[in-house]
Amino acid sequence: MQMEQIISAAWENRELLKEKETVEAIEKAIAMVDAGELRVANMDSNGEWKTNEWVKKAIILYFPLRKMEKMEAGIFEYHDKMQLKGNYEKLGVRVVPPAVVRYGAYIAPGAILMPSYVNIGAYVDSGTMVDTWATVGSCAQIGKDVHLSGGVGIGGVLEPAQASPVIVEDGAFIGSRCIVVEGAHIGKRAVLGAGVTITGSSKIIDVTGPEPVQYTGYVPENSVVIPGTINKSFPAGEYGVPCALIIGKRKASTDLKTSLNEALRENNVTV
């Protein structure tokens, strides 16, 4: 509680960043986020995700405390304020060159990082695969046994501090070149077909019943989703604008691999 109060005070008065107590509180918070002991967002007892605003403030305040410096990794040279995460063998994480994770991001044991990028404040849980050229933006919360396919863009939501981060819950499969940004929320075991874009204001329309059911920025658990369009009127006429269509459900009675294969075969989804 004291750490939270110190960081909140520094948020209101940046002169406090010169104080040793403030610097130590911010650095401790970032170390705890890096170790997975503190998260930008947590699910509460009611099953709702809550953003820990003060943790995001700590991350934002960490930047002005850092100085630009030269860093080297083999033949590669970098010039940045943030150190890179390391010690992967001890952490039990498989990291394929040239994957990059910034210090202050948590990667759980059993996660696999192909050549990819994970930014500060992110949380990547156990069993998750971050595939080639996928990016996990700042503060994004990625659950267990998630697959982020090649080229997936999980957006960062660092500011404003009160804004919800992108959340991808356990067992979700995010298809190639999908984009999930602006605090969008993907429910457990959902399947996004290749090229689906979900933003905080995206229309996600369930077309499996006699009448469409619309969600905004949220994909319900077990949904199978493909790109779609919806007509919208403009002064120059009526045109199709992007949306996402829920065309089926994964079956909870089968395991993840079988369920995924069935979802793709039955609904003809490309990933």
Side-chain angles (χ1 to χ4, degrees):
M1 191 64 183
Q2 184 182 11
M3 183 168 57
E4 179 179 348
Q5 291 172 344
I6 293 170
I7 290 168
S8 296
W11 182 259
E12 299 299 326
N13 180 8
R14 301 302 168 94
E15 287 297 313
L16 293 174
L17 292 176
K18 300 174 183 177
E19 302 290 334
K20 181 181 178 181
E21 181 184 52
T22 301
V23 173
E24 289 177 346
I26 293 170
E27 290 181 341
K28 181 178 180 181
I30 302 306
M32 292 177 70
V33 173
D34 185 81
E37 299 168 358
L38 193 62
R39 294 180 65 166
V40 166
N42 296 88
M43 185 179 287
D44 63 21
S45 57
N46 296 319
E48 300 292 330
W49 282 89
K50 177 184 176 183
T51 301
N52 298 316
E53 186 176 337
W54 72 273
V55 178
K56 292 183 73 178
K57 289 177 178 178
I59 294 170
I60 295 168
L61 292 174
Y62 186 60
F63 281 86
L65 298 182
R66 304 288 302 170
K67 294 181 180 180
M68 294 291 291
E69 59 181 309
K70 175 182 174 180
M71 295 179 286
E72 294 181 340
I75 63 172
F76 298 102
E77 179 183 311
Y78 303 93
H79 189 230
D80 191 25
K81 289 186 172 185
M82 295 294 173
Q83 292 292 322
L84 300 182
K85 197 176 184 72
N87 205 23
Y88 292 115
E89 183 177 5
K90 184 177 179 180
L91 295 175
V93 178
R94 180 185 173 195
V95 182
V96 178
V100 173
V101 182
R102 260 178 159 179
Y103 173 73
Y106 175 69
I107 312 294
I112 299 173
L113 306 180
M114 299 302 285
S116 54
Y117 180 79
V118 181
N119 209 344
I120 187 171
Y123 188 104
V124 178
D125 216 333
S126 59
T128 286
M129 161 78 82
V130 182
D131 218 329
T132 304
W133 309 136
T135 58
V136 179
S138 54
C139 302
Q141 305 292 293
I142 312 297
K144 292 180 171 65
D145 301 315
V146 170
H147 189 110
L148 303 180
S149 299
V152 163
I154 303 295
V157 183
L158 191 53
E159 295 186 84
Q162 68 271 20
S164 299
V166 172
I167 295 169
V168 180
E169 295 200 53
D170 297 353
F173 188 101
I174 312 300
S176 298
R177 301 297 190 259
C178 283
I179 298 172
V180 185
V181 295
E182 297 178 359
H185 183 173
I186 310 301
K188 292 180 180 179
R189 297 164 53 86
V191 177
L192 303 190
V196 171
T197 296
I198 306 291
T199 72
S201 58
S202 288
K203 290 181 173 62
I204 299 102
I205 305 171
D206 189 333
V207 296
T208 60
E211 296 291 334
V213 178
Q214 183 173 301
Y215 303 88
T216 302
Y218 170 65
V219 175
E221 63 182 54
N222 295 312
S223 297
V224 178
V225 184
I226 62 171
T229 59
I230 186 170
N231 289 334
K232 185 175 180 178
S233 295
F234 297 91
E238 191 170 89
Y239 297 90
V241 296
C243 69
L245 302 177
I246 299 173
I247 60 169
K249 293 287 185 180
R250 286 175 79 169
K251 297 176 181 177
S253 59
T254 54
D255 64 37
L256 290 177
K257 184 176 180 180
T258 302
S259 178
L260 175 60
N261 288 338
E262 286 183 356
L264 302 182
R265 183 173 63 252
E266 293 173 3
N267 297 287
N268 195 29
V269 177
T270 302
V271 297

